Amino acid sequence: MARLQARGVRLPRTERRAQLLAAAQRVFAANGYHAAAMDEIAEEAGVSKPVLYQHFPGKLDLYIALLESHVDELVRRVKDALDSTSDNKQRVPATVGAFFDFVNNDAGAFRMVFESDLRGEPAVQEAVDRATSASVDAITETITADAGLDEDKARLLAVGLVGLSQVSARFWLAHHKSMSREEAVALTANLAWRGIGGGFPLQH
């Protein structure tokens, strides 16, 4: 595994934190949480253990920070997809595609978010729940504004779209040789759009 910086190189705090998170991602992906060791993460990052502990008091703190960064990335992708167009017919495949791109971009990231084996830890469960709840909130707001539905109905549709998108994306990743990303997104989005677009047209 490639180390990002040689020991002794001083970096701004934000850059150092990003470097440590990237190293931790590689170690967690290779060994799993329980087998990963802080000294190995420090070695991977090219820093001393005291430097690592200056940023993260313990392994769980490091894991949660990494998980939170992945959740933020997913939510950002969903919000960007919703904001990318005012055409709801295009918003659906854009939103579905956000989940496919997140899953396909970094398998270790999506496994931490959707398949974490530390859900018994309250802080981990909270972060995992936010991946869904923040995505649902963003979609609910858009559906409420554009389809004229009350919030409860819009939220139910948003939950359905999020669930459909992330489960389909994870299935596709495991079997993606059978079809392209574009075809998989189109199939999934078509299923969602026939329900949302056909039953709840844009309200002016």
Side-chain angles (χ1 to χ4, degrees), residues 46-69:
V47 302
S48 66
K49 283 181 69 176
V51 169
L52 179 58
Y53 280 112
Q54 286 174 8
H55 292 264
F56 303 102
K59 185 168 69 170
L60 181 59
D61 301 279
L62 179 52
Y63 183 89
I64 291 170
L66 185 58
L67 175 60
E68 289 280 6
S69 72

Side-chain angles (χ1 to χ4, degrees), residues 3-50:
R3 293 170 178 76
L4 298 181
Q5 296 285 342
R7 288 188 186 277
V9 176
R10 294 184 62 85
L11 294 176
R13 185 172 181 83
T14 54
E15 289 185 26
R16 178 68 77 192
R17 181 181 174 88
Q19 175 199 7
L20 296 175
L21 289 173
Q25 175 65 65
R26 293 192 295 273
V27 174
F28 285 137
N31 302 333
Y33 175 82
H34 296 291
M38 289 292 273
D39 56 352
E40 184 178 3
I41 294 170
E43 179 67 22
E44 176 66 21
V47 302
S48 66
K49 283 181 69 176

Side-chain angles (χ1 to χ4, degrees), residues 9-180:
V9 176
R10 294 184 62 85
L11 294 176
R13 185 172 181 83
T14 54
E15 289 185 26
R16 178 68 77 192
R17 181 181 174 88
Q19 175 199 7
L20 296 175
L21 289 173
Q25 175 65 65
R26 293 192 295 273
V27 174
F28 285 137
N31 302 333
Y33 175 82
H34 296 291
M38 289 292 273
D39 56 352
E40 184 178 3
I41 294 170
E43 179 67 22
E44 176 66 21
V47 302
S48 66
K49 283 181 69 176
V51 169
L52 179 58
Y53 280 112
Q54 286 174 8
H55 292 264
F56 303 102
K59 185 168 69 170
L60 181 59
D61 301 279
L62 179 52
Y63 183 89
I64 291 170
L66 185 58
L67 175 60
E68 289 280 6
S69 72
H70 294 327
V71 171
D72 289 342
E73 171 67 12
L74 173 60
V75 174
R76 182 193 64 77
R77 286 178 181 271
V78 170
K79 289 182 176 179
D80 286 350
L82 292 168
D83 292 341
S84 66
T85 178
S86 59
D87 182 348
N88 282 342
K89 189 174 183 179
Q90 298 304 315
R91 271 185 176 139
V92 171
T95 303
V96 172
F99 284 89
F100 274 76
D101 290 340
F102 176 72
V103 165
N104 193 41
N105 185 57
D106 187 340
F110 101 81
R111 289 194 175 96
M112 283 186 72
V113 174
F114 294 123
E115 300 174 1
S116 174
D117 58 356
L118 292 180
R119 293 194 180 205
E121 291 286 343
V124 172
Q125 184 62 57
E126 182 178 347
V128 169
D129 289 344
R130 186 169 67 85
T132 297
S133 63
S135 299
V136 167
D137 287 345
I139 297 169
T140 297
E141 183 178 348
T142 300
I143 294 176
T144 301
D146 288 353
L149 291 178
D150 64 52
E151 184 175 344
D152 287 343
K153 292 178 181 177
R155 186 168 296 277
L156 181 60
L157 290 175
V159 168
L161 181 58
V162 169
L164 174 66
S165 298
Q166 65 104 335
V167 172
S168 297
R170 290 162 61 192
F171 178 85
W172 170 78
L173 184 67
H175 304 85
H176 71 279
K177 292 183 179 179
S178 64
M179 70 182 76
S180 68

